[in-house]
Amino acid sequence: MKITFFGAAGGVTGSQHKLESNGATVLLDCGMFQGRRKEAEKQNREMPFPARSIEAVVLSHAHIDHSGRLPLLVKEGFHGPIYATPATVDLCASMLRDTAHIAESDTEFVNRHHPDEEPVEPLFTMADAEDTMPLFRPVAYRTPAAIAGGLTIELYDAGHILGSSSIVLTDGAVRLAFSGDVGRPGLPIIRDPEPLPPVDYLIMESTYGSRKHPQTGEVLGKLEEIVKRTIGRGGRLIIPAFAVGRTQQIVLLLHQLIDEKRIPSVPIFVDSPLAVDVTKAFRAHPECFDEETAKYLAEGEDPFGFKRLTYVRDAEGSKKLNDLRGPFIVISPSGMCEAGRILHHLRHNVGDPKNTVLITGYQAENTLGRKLKNGMKSVRIFGMPVEVRAEIQNLEELSGHADAGELIDWMKPMISTLKRVFLVHGEPQESGPLSQLIQSAYGIEAVPVHRGEIYELIPVTENSARAV
């Protein structure tokens, strides 16, 4: 078995790892790069291998930095199966179409405003996204499935977003685990991450490899204070949030705060056609819910809808939010403030000191969300400089990624047979400390990998993997 690391290697976005075994080539994830626009655009357009050489894809979850280039893979000639959980398949149906729509719209905008320059083409089109969907093959949790080259996969709940999975692959000689993105115990809606069985090698994320998160139990109190403070000064609360997972979590928490009369019952808007579609997918998969969310359903309540909440699908309704008076709350993708309607809300609201922008998830390097989180006083939105006078807050308690200690605890069931850990999906300042922590805790070598590195995974009868 041989593994080549092409994405989320030395960084957080663009998850993509090529696995070769018994003459077959399988891809683990096929995600988009995010960050500096021109650099990310170049990386996204360059597949590092012929698409036709891939026989199957195994997808850990639906987030675009893990799934977003699947339509490009199909556009360039891939026609094999894509294995994922049923909830991930349903989420991708909305997310890949939405990504294609954004790509087409952005391209049309650029070409219209730069008529004298050579026209640009979208990364992929809606037709490519439509061609991708029939290739999905749903695989239930803890149900072994045979795929290409004699490989068998088994998916476990990663507790990151709805349908997210950690993957165990075996070719009969080597057992390899891919963590995907590991969630945190106690997050709203979804179940806690499942432990994996013992394996020989582990590809593990390291997004927060040097950090300790605040306890998830503190999130309600902190959100309550932020809402009350913002409303008290007559301001608006603008919440950039990923359409998958984070939006639904925030809606549920606001629902709970209003039910308990801990915050005023102000208007709340989820401004995103994608979030509307994704929320439908959430409602369709109660088998993924934790006990608290399942209780809402058992009592006949909709955990993602209540009387003060309005879902905004059309662009005209989104524009009208800017004309509203009085305090209100807007939740809108993208979570890293890189695209979508959130940019319009930030442009209209970030300059007013009465308002608050609440960052609720990981912000990749060079994204607008990272710049706001880091306290920059002037940012560019749609190419124009905008002064930042709004209060900027960060709700780390809702992070969908396990912190260093939680990752150490999660991997413990695997260590009796584990030979080596490959650290991905983390910037060097995170993967480096986690490597040392794993060595200290378990005496196992943990390697922060780099783009293009190749490792041959040797059967357990020999010592360890070797670089090629």
Side-chain angles (χ1 to χ4, degrees), residues 62 87-98 129-130 133 136 274 277:
T88 295
V89 175
D90 285 352
L91 290 173
C92 282
S94 299
M95 297 184 69
L96 296 182
R97 291 182 176 106
D98 182 75
E130 295 293 348
M133 293 314 302
F136 277 94
L274 175 58
D277 293 336

Side-chain angles (χ1 to χ4, degrees), residues 30-204:
C30 191
M32 291 188 77
F33 291 93
Q34 297 165 305
R36 287 195 179 96
R37 297 290 177 88
K38 289 185 178 180
E39 181 180 326
E41 174 76 7
K42 183 174 184 295
Q43 288 176 310
N44 282 327
R45 287 185 181 274
E46 295 176 352
M47 279 291 181
F49 43 73
R52 294 181 184 274
S53 69
I54 305 299
E55 295 180 44
V57 177
V58 186
L59 181 61
S60 66
H61 65 286
H63 273 153
I64 290 301
D65 63 322
H66 292 256
S67 71
R69 286 200 293 168
L70 286 170
L72 178 62
L73 193 71
V74 171
K75 176 182 179 180
E76 294 190 353
F78 170 76
H79 298 297
I82 303 168
Y83 298 97
T85 65
T88 295
V89 175
D90 285 352
L91 290 173
C92 282
S94 299
M95 297 184 69
L96 296 182
R97 291 182 176 106
D98 182 75
T99 303
H101 172 71
I102 290 172
E104 290 180 331
S105 297
D106 287 354
T107 299
E108 190 274 333
F109 179 88
V110 169
N111 289 336
R112 186 173 72 248
H113 285 80
H114 300 277
D116 298 330
E117 298 181 12
E118 184 177 350
V120 297
E121 293 186 0
L123 184 65
F124 52 79
T125 65
M126 186 67 77
D128 299 318
E130 295 293 348
D131 289 343
T132 303
M133 293 314 302
L135 303 180
F136 277 94
R137 302 289 183 270
V139 178
Y141 287 128
R142 298 172 298 284
T143 304
I147 63 171
L151 281 167
T152 298
I153 61 169
E154 191 165 1
L155 309 183
Y156 295 81
D157 196 334
H160 174 64
I161 64 168
L162 191 83
S164 62
S165 62
S166 298
I167 303 158
V168 175
L169 307 99
T170 181
D171 64 359
V174 172
R175 287 174 61 83
L176 168 69
F178 172 42
S179 72
D181 287 353
V182 181
R184 304 188 63 204
L187 286 177
I189 302 174
I190 54 177
R191 295 193 300 259
D192 291 350
E194 281 189 293
L196 301 191
V199 296
D200 307 318
Y201 301 98
L202 170 63
I203 303 169
M204 188 169 77

Side-chain angles (χ1 to χ4, degrees), residues 331-411:
I331 307 163
S332 184
S334 73
M336 296 188 194
C337 310
E338 281 297 285
R341 295 178 182 178
I342 192 61
L343 292 176
H344 296 276
H345 294 300
L346 290 172
R347 182 168 67 91
H348 282 91
N349 292 287
V350 79
D352 189 337
K354 295 195 304 292
N355 300 334
T356 300
V357 177
L358 179 58
I359 303 295
T360 62
Y362 185 82
Q363 306 298 309
E365 192 175 13
N366 301 310
T367 60
L368 175 58
R370 174 72 76 92
K371 293 171 184 175
L372 291 171
K373 182 179 176 181
N374 287 348
M376 290 186 65
K377 298 303 181 185
S378 179
V379 296
R380 298 185 75 84
I381 302 177
F382 296 122
M384 301 294 291
V386 178
E387 293 301 312
V388 180
R389 298 187 182 91
E391 178 184 351
I392 309 296
Q393 284 290 332
N394 184 38
L395 203 62
E396 291 187 346
E397 290 85 351
L398 278 182
S399 173
H401 293 268
D403 65 19
E406 290 163 343
L407 286 170
I408 290 292
D409 291 342
W410 176 79
M411 66 181 288

